Structure formats: C-alpha cells, structure tokens
Amino acid sequence: MNKYIVLKNRPKGKPSLNDFETKETEKPQPGEGDILLKALYVSVDPYLRGRMRDQKSYIPPFKLDEPIESMVVAEVEDSKNKNFSKGDFVSGMLDWKEYQVSDGKGLNKIKKNNAALSAFLGILGLTGITAYLGLEKIGKLKEGETLLVSGAAGAVGSIVGQIGKIKGCKVVGIAGSDEKIKKITEDFQFDEGINYKAAENIQEEIKKACPNGVDVYFDNVGGEILDAAVLNMNKFGRVINCGAISIYNAEEQPTGLRLEPFLFKNSIIMQGFTVRDYAEDFQPAIRQLSEWLKEDKLRYEETIVEGFEEIPQAFLDLFEGKNKGKMVVKV
Amino acid sequence: MNKYIVLKNRPKGKPSLNDFETKETEKPQPGEGDILLKALYVSVDPYLRGRMRDQKSYIPPFKLDEPIESMVVAEVEDSKNKNFSKGDFVSGMLDWKEYQVSDGKGLNKIKKNNAALSAFLGILGLTGITAYLGLEKIGKLKEGETLLVSGAAGAVGSIVGQIGKIKGCKVVGIAGSDEKIKKITEDFQFDEGINYKAAENIQEEIKKACPNGVDVYFDNVGGEILDAAVLNMNKFGRVINCGAISIYNAEEQPTGLRLEPFLFKNSIIMQGFTVRDYAEDFQPAIRQLSEWLKEDKLRYEETIVEGFEEIPQAFLDLFEGKNKGKMVVKV
C-alpha cells in the first residue's frame, strides 16, 4: 500500500494534528515518459503554514483533502523516462506520499558526492540557498560589518551566521534557549548570542552585543525582535525579511511599532525575500555552498525524525522550537 | 536691526508659537573671505520637526536659544570673497536671520533663468530633487506601472505625480480635501485622487483606484495610509519612505499593522529615503527638472507667506495642511 498525508482542516491559529490525515491508496504505475519515485527524506518548513491559509500568495494555497507538498529527496524506483534511471536520486517539490509518479519536470538530479542525501533538503537545498542568496542579494555584506540574525540556531539562521563569519563580519545571533546560544557560539562560531526568552529588554541586549550598531539584520521571526533590531540599525542598514515565524499563526492582523520613522531616519532598506524569486541563481549558490562545505568552513545540523506518519508532528514541532537546524523526516 | 528666530522650547507633540522666539541683534559685518547675505525666501518643511527633538538623527538637532536653519534663498549684499559678487543670488542651508555672514561654503549660486527665485526652494530645490531622486533611486518606475503617492497636493507629492505621468505611468494621489483632489486631477493631471478624510475604508478606495495593484508607493505621510498602500502592493512593489508627517508630532512610539508578512509575501522593498544621501546626483536632477519645466511638462504651486516673523506660523500651518504646494516665506 501507499500512504499519503492530506490537509484535513485549515488550521485556526496554531496548527494541530487534527488538521492532517494520513490516508492510503494503491502504489501507482508509471506511464510512458514517467518515473516512479519512492520518498526518502521529506522537508518540513515554517513557510508551509502560509500555504495552509486560503489566501492569495506567491504560491497557491494547499487544497483540502489533497496531499500537502514540500521539498522531498526521492529515489527513482522505476523509469519510463529517458532522462532518469532506476537508482537515481532526485530532489524537488513533491507530495507527502510514500510513492508517487512524476514526469520529471522541475526535479533536480542529485550528483553523488560526499554530502548526505538529507543535506539536499538543508544546506545544499532551499535552506542553504535562502541563507546565501538573502545575504548576497539584499544583505550585500561587507567585511567588518555587524550581522544580526534571528532564529539563529535554526536551519537558515545557523548558515546565515556562518556565512557572515566567512565574509569577515561580526556575527550576533538571537535564539530562544541557553542551549541554542551555546550551540551557535561554540559549534557555529558566532561572536555573540542573545537568548531572547531570558532578555529583559531585547533592544538593550542587542545594543550591548552590537556596540557599533547593526548593518545587516537577517530576520526569520518578525514581531518585536524585528522592532528591536531596526531600532539598533546603522545608517544604510539592510533588513532581509525572510520569515516571520513569531506571527505565522496569528489569526488577527498583528500590530507593532511603526517602523517607517526609523527607516526614514537612517535610510534603512527592508525587503521581503523569497528564494523562489531567484531561481536562476540557485546553481551558483549550490556550487559555493558545496565548496565551503568541502573546505569545512560550513557546518550544519539537522533534526531527523523517523517515519512517514510523523511528518505532521515534525511540522508542528517547528513552532515549539524543538528542532535544531533543519527539520527532516526520514521516510 | 537684524531679526532672527530661535527654538525656545522643544515642542511636545504638535509645535506651537510658544516654542519659537523672535529676537534682535546687530546687522553683522563680513570679515575677510566672507559675504553678507540678506534672506529673501525661507523654506519651511515638515522634516524640521525632527530636528526640534533632542535625538540622534541624520542631521544634528537644533539647539535651544539658537537660530533654526532651513533652505534659504538670499542675495549677496556685500562680498569680501572672490567667488561672490554683490547682487549674486544663492541658496543654501542658512539661519532664520534677516542678515547673516557666510564663508560661502555649501552655498549654491543661482543661475539666472526664467524660473522665479522661490522656485529654488521648491521645484528646483530640495523639494523637486526629492521627488525626482526618490523615484529614480528607489522607485525605478517603469512605463505602464501604477504609482500611488500620498501628500499628493503637497510640495513633493505634486511633483512626484507629474513625473509619474511623464514616465507613462498610471498615477493615483491621496490628499485630504476635495479641493486638493480637484487640483491634482485637473491642474497636475493625475489619473485619480482619493480624499482620505472622506474615505470610509482607505484600503478599499486604493483598490478601486488601482485595479492592477500598486507598483510604487511614494509615502510622505506614514501611518495607516502606508498600511493600506502596502496591502495593495503588487509582487516586487517598492515603497519610498520619504516622510511620515502623520506621526511626526507623536510623543509616544506609534504602533500599527505589522508589515513584515506582506513584505515577505510579495517581495516588497520599503526603503527610507533622505535626499541628502544623494548629493552627487543633485546637479543632473536639477538639469532634468529645469528642462521639463521649460517644456511646460511640470507645473508647481507654492504658498508664499509674507513677513520674516511669520516663519513659525507658516511652519505650524504645514501640519494643518494649509499649504498648497511648497510653503515659502518671503522675507
């Protein structure tokens, strides 16, 4: 049989297991030109929450009672397509299904090298590419500048900080536990870490950790931490609005500090960043990340949960900060 | 005698006449290398409110009991500087003084042409340059796009909209009275106008006036109108944060809609714009504006108040929307 997972209800506020349902169907047969894929690793990511909402966005919302999709690493089990052979590994936007048929369009063949297969959902996948291109395209980091990143122990954040160190910047990370702070400063070599849950005044803590002000803020969380960062930014500062996990689950329109007077005062740029806008830059990004990985300049961490049916729980755990680095489900 | 105007108190909230004081002193004598200037036209601008606050900003705050400064057009009454002759006209950042001495640094000589002297505080001064460079540097307007501008009947806004029409865009202006809307649509040839004071739902009004969405929003006001504009922006939209007159007088940190989810969703840029950052681009900007002015492609309006001692009242009137176009005091 062939298990798959559908969106059963549109979550109200924080999603719960009741919003998902695991179903079964027949294992499909590939037609002429198709390949049969067996899912090996499934990526769960905070941005998927947005697609569970019934609203216009850069990618269409998930439909109720249909499979959810995310980035998946799969093995070709059978091929009637001349571009793929049995035993190939691919990555791509695929359904949460144990087995599925594809015409191969939009799939990337994974070149075998020393990296683990799961890395192609993380540091060599959209996660690493997001960190790299966000800093390149909007951050425009210069040596000696101060880089602040939130969600610093997370999948994207931990790579952002390491790239900042490679580029010769002072790097300060914000995360939600002393354990995570220890990890970013010891394992990932950030200069400083701020545990926002222990901070009395996050704006003051940032000021202390960044005595020369903040030049680039890579924002994965939004909300009050964004406000505190903007209040610490230097003239010509750049904010990469890459995610807003702190408010994804809000049902009301969240409010906060009006930022426009500060943008105006210091000629600050805030720019929404969605990696999909830069598809033509993916290959050079992967090449650079692979090189740094080979040279041992980049480390990554992943939380691997085992079992296809654990995908919804792994997704929910993202909002509790239970992952360290990239959260991946091994099927 | 020689009148001058000082900042007597730092305003709390909305400034009042009590925050200013007119004093008298001797008419100064120019030393070797100096020139004696007689003020002819004095510019009053909303951004001066920021310099009345005792806080770090891109230009230092005004000092209490010392003269306020702004852009002034003056005549050289006496010169001991070889670069200037009696009878020359200059513009520059000068004190609110009837007569003052300068070493000439930072002053621009005004080349006599068909434009009125007061125009060098407006359409051919920082006002026009702000409109032009804001659109060039951040707006990056393309033919056929939709340009929305707030404070549309104001000094900067009315020029922004006209440049939008020259560039072949659909131009929609937001202003605070039916009379102003009539002015921008009839005199300045905007395509549509929205009277925000009469609007029940400004977000809906923008949607109606901009059925293809907003590509560039030139923001002179901040606050709820900014929120409503961002909610109507297209993918890759650009917001020029040029001013925030709606909240300059706020004593508490103003709050509003959190914009980061929308920036993220549509890859929107919001960028604080201060014309002083682009000093090297002033001359080409003035050349282009002069050319359009000569070709009758640009019109401007100014409100000229007469009398040196009326400067504070003219400044206060800006916050009541009593000016049409550039507010200038003729000494």
Side-chain angles (χ1 to χ4, degrees), chain B residues 222-295:
Chain B
E224 289 171 13
I225 293 177
L226 169 61
D227 297 345
V230 169
L231 293 173
N232 275 290
M233 291 201 83
N234 290 330
K235 179 92 183 168
F236 302 121
R238 293 136 264 157
V239 178
I240 302 146
N241 294 104
C242 183
I245 197 171
S246 76
I247 54 181
Y248 281 164
N249 291 331
E251 282 297 291
E252 308 260 302
Q253 298 269 33
T255 58
L257 190 62
R258 296 216 66 94
L259 295 177
E260 63 272 22
F262 305 100
L263 301 191
F264 173 66
K265 197 171 105 179
N266 281 324
S267 305
I268 292 169
I269 297 180
M270 276 177 66
Q271 186 168 351
F273 177 75
T274 298
V275 73
R276 284 163 197 76
D277 296 340
Y278 299 91
E280 72 278 19
D281 297 301
F282 282 13
Q283 288 312 321
I286 293 172
R287 272 199 298 277
Q288 178 62 79
L289 291 162
S290 303
E291 200 173 300
W292 284 334
L293 202 56
K294 234 183 285 173
E295 295 166 359

Side-chain angles (χ1 to χ4, degrees), chain A residues 194 196 198-208 228 232:
Chain A
I194 300 169
Y196 73 89
E200 268 192 31
N201 180 330
I202 181 76
Q203 188 187 334
E204 282 303 313
E205 295 292 323
I206 294 172
K207 196 173 177 180
K208 258 186 271 173
N232 276 291

